[in-house]
């Protein structure tokens, strides 16, 4: 095969490995390069594809020069000089979602946003299943999408897409798309908040039914849609048409469509206003593909939430412990503090935070910390930065391990208080991923 046809995969994590398997099935000439010495997919790739050239310990300039198309993993910044150079030479740079979008034929529900993606993706997947559809759920949530193409096409796909994945996607024409919300995240990868927002907006390109958050016009007000969008809003009694929203009656809030009541919000297992937003977005996406309303409402009543998202762990001597390890940005931690804060009845939160801060502005959390937090226990790479930001906002303690953080929090909490692990940071400085951080936390807490 001539080198002109070489497809080069950059990154050998779960995405890179799925790309390698997919492209090999298509009998393309493939090679792989990863900046890490020993990337997670290396052993499997070598075993499954002994003849494929794999260069690790730095991106191979030779392979990048030879490549006719480059498939970049989401963890790799597109601003790497070798990638900028390839782009300048006109080499297409795409990602796994692009390969998937070119090949998949079943309708795709595409979900992005700064927070709530996994919750909404899971809800919509369950709703489709409840309605009797054969559905595949994946993307940033876990299963890399190309793995789905090994099997027969389902009735529909429900995909969680990160901004990194959207940056390398051009052919996605989703049946329904949503940007749930946009608050600053990944400021280590984007030049500005506007760039991050633009990346999220790509999800609407070519989509049949846009679902929009009416409470955040900055996301959609400059965009043109082929069809009238379906909106959602958590502002009660919103006057707009074509809208999933809330009505307030007496002391009670109801989910509603065009002011028609669907379900009292208290009947949903998920708690907190941010989950009202998630539920409304899921209802709007489900109705965009004509899922029956009773099946969707059943799912809202049953779904207990995903682990590591403000998950109650245990009560020890009157203190509730919560695992919000998926709180990996400021917006998520803000919603966790607001959600728990509203239930405190005069008591306080011991917040365990810190990790890789991704250049975020942590002062955004000052009001919630002032209102609800008794003491912050800080750990991880950017603990000193967080300490600097919050030094006049709340008492702070810095620790060097999660075990120390848990012991310190136990010491500080008195009956009625809550301890919340919601780091507002990525976990990769000390843990394999956010699940690992959450699982270690739960074990340590249960050992107390
Ligand atoms: N890396 C290198 N050199 C390389 C390639 C990667 O140092 O050559 C590093 C990256 O900087 C990153 C890590 O390795 O820290 C993993 O990167 P990757 O692109 O190999 O990631 P995958 O293992 O393929 O997992 C990716 C998503 N990870 C990222 O976007 C960082 C997973 O989302 C996703 O589940 C998976 O694809 C399947 O689609 C995780 C995530 O943290 C949950 N996503 C971010 C988030 O949700 O905030 C966007
Ligand atoms: P994502 O996949 O976008 O990270 P998740 O559903 O996994 O979203 O939730 C991640 C974190 O964000 C959790 O800590 C959760 O408490 C919080 N969260 C969930 N939905 C929202 C929302 N709509 N707005 C703000 N925060 C949210």
């Amino acid at each position: 095969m001539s080198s002109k046809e070489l497809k080069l995969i950059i990154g050998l994590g779960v995405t890179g490995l799925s790309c390698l398997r997919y492209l090999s099935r298509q009998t393309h000439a493939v090679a792989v390069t990863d900046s890490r010495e020993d990337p997670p997919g290396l052993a499997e790739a070598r075993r499954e594809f002994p003849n494929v050239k794999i260069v690790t310990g730095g991106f191979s300039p030779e392979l990048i020069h030879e490549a006719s198309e480059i498939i970049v993993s989401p963890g790799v910044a597109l601003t790497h000089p070798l990638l900028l150079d390839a782009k300048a030479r006109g080499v297409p740079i795409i990602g796994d979602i692009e390969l998937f979008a070119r090949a998949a034929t079943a309708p795709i529900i595409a979900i992005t946003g700064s927070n709530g993606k996994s919750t909404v993706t899971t809800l919509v997947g369950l709703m489709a299943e409840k309605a009797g559809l054969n559905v595949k759920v994946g993307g940033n949530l876990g299963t890399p999408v190309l793995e789905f193409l090994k099997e027969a096409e389902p009735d529909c796909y429900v995909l969680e897409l990160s901004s990194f994945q959207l940056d390398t996607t051009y052919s996605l024409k989703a049946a329904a798309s949503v940007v749930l919300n946009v608050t600053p995240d990944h400021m280590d990868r984007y030049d500005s908040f506007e760039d991050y927002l633009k990346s999220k907006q790509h999800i609407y390109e070519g989509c049949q039914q846009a679902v929009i958050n009416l409470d955040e016009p900055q996301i959609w007000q400059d965009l043109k849609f082929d069809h009238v969008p379906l909106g959602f809003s958590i502002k009660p009694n919103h006057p707009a048409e074509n809208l999933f929203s809330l009505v307030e009656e007496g002391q009670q809030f109801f989910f509603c469509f065009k002011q028609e009541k669907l379900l009292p919000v208290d009947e949903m297992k998920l708690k907190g206003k941010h989950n009202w937003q998630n539920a409304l977005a899921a209802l709007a996406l489900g109705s965009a593909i004509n899922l029956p309303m009773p099946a969707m409402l059943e799912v809202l009543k049953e779904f207990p939430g995903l682990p590591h998202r403000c998950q109650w762990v245990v009560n020890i001597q009157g203190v509730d412990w919560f695992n919000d390890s998926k709180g990996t940005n400021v917006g998520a931690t803000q919603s966790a503090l607001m959600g728990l804060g509203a239930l405190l009845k005069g008591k306080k939160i011991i917040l365990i935070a810190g990790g890789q801060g991704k250049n975020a502005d942590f002062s955004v959390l000052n009001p919630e910390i002032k209102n609800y937090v008794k003491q912050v226990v800080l750990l991880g790479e950017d603990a000193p930065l967080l300490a600097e930001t919050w030094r006049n906002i709340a008492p702070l303690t810095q620790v060097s391990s999660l075990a120390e953080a848990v012991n310190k929090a136990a010491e500080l909490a008195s009956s009625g208080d809550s301890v919340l692990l919601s780091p507002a940071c990525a976990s990769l400085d000390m843990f394999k991923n956010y699940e690992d951080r959450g699982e270690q936390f739960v074990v340590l807490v249960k050992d107390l």
Side-chain angles (χ1 to χ4, degrees), residues 131-194:
L133 299 187
N134 173 10
V135 53
K136 290 205 188 314
V137 178
N140 191 59
L141 184 58
T143 309
V145 291
L146 290 170
E147 296 290 328
F148 295 145
L149 297 180
K150 282 182 188 160
E151 295 154 24
E153 288 271 333
D155 296 318
C156 70
Y157 295 103
V158 184
L159 304 185
E160 171 183 329
L161 301 179
S162 70
S163 54
F164 304 154
Q165 289 172 323
L166 289 165
D167 284 339
T168 52
T169 302
Y170 306 93
S171 307
L172 181 72
K173 292 184 171 41
S177 293
V178 69
V179 181
L180 295 169
N181 46 51
V182 182
T183 52
D185 195 6
H186 303 300
M187 286 300 123
D188 50 344
R189 281 277 295 266
Y190 293 94
D191 284 344
S192 64
F193 177 72
E194 287 65 37

Side-chain angles (χ1 to χ4, degrees), residues 113-120 140 160 180-181 274-275 277-278 306 308-310 324 326-328 331-333 335-336 422:
S114 299
N115 288 301
K117 297 183 291 298
S118 296
T119 302
V120 173
N140 191 59
E160 171 183 329
L180 295 169
N181 46 51
H274 61 282
N275 280 316
Q277 180 179 76
N278 295 340
L306 293 165
H308 312 296
R309 279 88 173 164
C310 240
D324 190 44
K326 187 70 195 283
T328 56
T333 297
S335 67
S422 187

